[in-house]
Amino acid sequence: MGKMGELDAGLNELRKCGEKIIAISEMISAMFSADDEPADNEPPKEVKTKVITLEEVRKALADKSLSGYRADVKNLITSFGAEKLSDIDSSKYEELLAKRR
C-alpha cells in the first residue's frame, strides 16, 4: 500500500474514533443532565450510532490483507462461520472490526 493509501486508512480510523468519542460524550452528558427524565408524553432520547457498512469492513480487511495478514483475515472471516465476507450478517460488522486488531 502506498503512502497515500496508508494516510487515507489512518484518517478514516481517526474519523471513526472521533465519531465514537462524540457519541459517548453525548451519552454521558445525557445521563448527567438535569432534564434527563423524560416527560410522560415524551419518548426517551436515543443515541444515534453509526452503521458500519460492508464497504467499510471490506476496506479495513483489504488493508490488513495487503499488509501481509491475508491468512489472519481469512481465519477471522471463517471464525464467523462464513466462507466470504459478504456471508457475514451486517449486525456482526462491529464485532468483526474489533477482532481484526
Side-chain angles (χ1 to χ4, degrees), residues 17-53:
C17 290
E19 290 170 354
K20 288 189 184 233
I21 289 171
I22 290 169
I24 291 169
S25 68
E26 288 173 351
M27 188 171 55
I28 292 171
S29 177
M31 282 193 281
F32 291 104
S33 68
D35 59 354
D36 186 50
E37 298 176 20
D40 291 335
N41 58 355
E42 287 183 35
K45 295 179 183 177
E46 293 183 23
V47 176
K48 294 182 182 179
T49 57
K50 184 177 183 293
V51 176
I52 300 172
T53 64

Side-chain angles (χ1 to χ4, degrees), residues 16 20 50-54 56-57 90 93-95 97:
K16 288 176 194 174
K20 288 189 184 233
K50 184 177 183 293
V51 176
I52 300 172
T53 64
L54 174 63
E56 291 170 325
V57 176
S90 61
Y93 289 166
E94 188 170 354
E95 181 183 350
L97 289 179

Side-chain angles (χ1 to χ4, degrees), residues 5-89:
E6 290 177 29
L7 180 61
D8 184 49
L11 289 172
N12 284 335
E13 287 296 318
L14 185 60
R15 193 173 296 118
K16 288 176 194 174
C17 290
E19 290 170 354
K20 288 189 184 233
I21 289 171
I22 290 169
I24 291 169
S25 68
E26 288 173 351
M27 188 171 55
I28 292 171
S29 177
M31 282 193 281
F32 291 104
S33 68
D35 59 354
D36 186 50
E37 298 176 20
D40 291 335
N41 58 355
E42 287 183 35
K45 295 179 183 177
E46 293 183 23
V47 176
K48 294 182 182 179
T49 57
K50 184 177 183 293
V51 176
I52 300 172
T53 64
L54 174 63
E55 290 76 23
E56 291 170 325
V57 176
R58 182 172 281 133
K59 180 174 180 356
L61 294 182
D63 290 345
K64 186 170 180 89
S65 180
L66 292 172
S67 297
Y69 297 98
R70 183 182 179 125
D72 291 343
V73 170
K74 182 65 177 168
N75 289 337
L76 180 62
I77 291 170
T78 56
S79 74
F80 282 84
E83 289 285 322
K84 54 188 177 186
L85 179 59
S86 59
D87 293 339
I88 298 175
D89 186 68

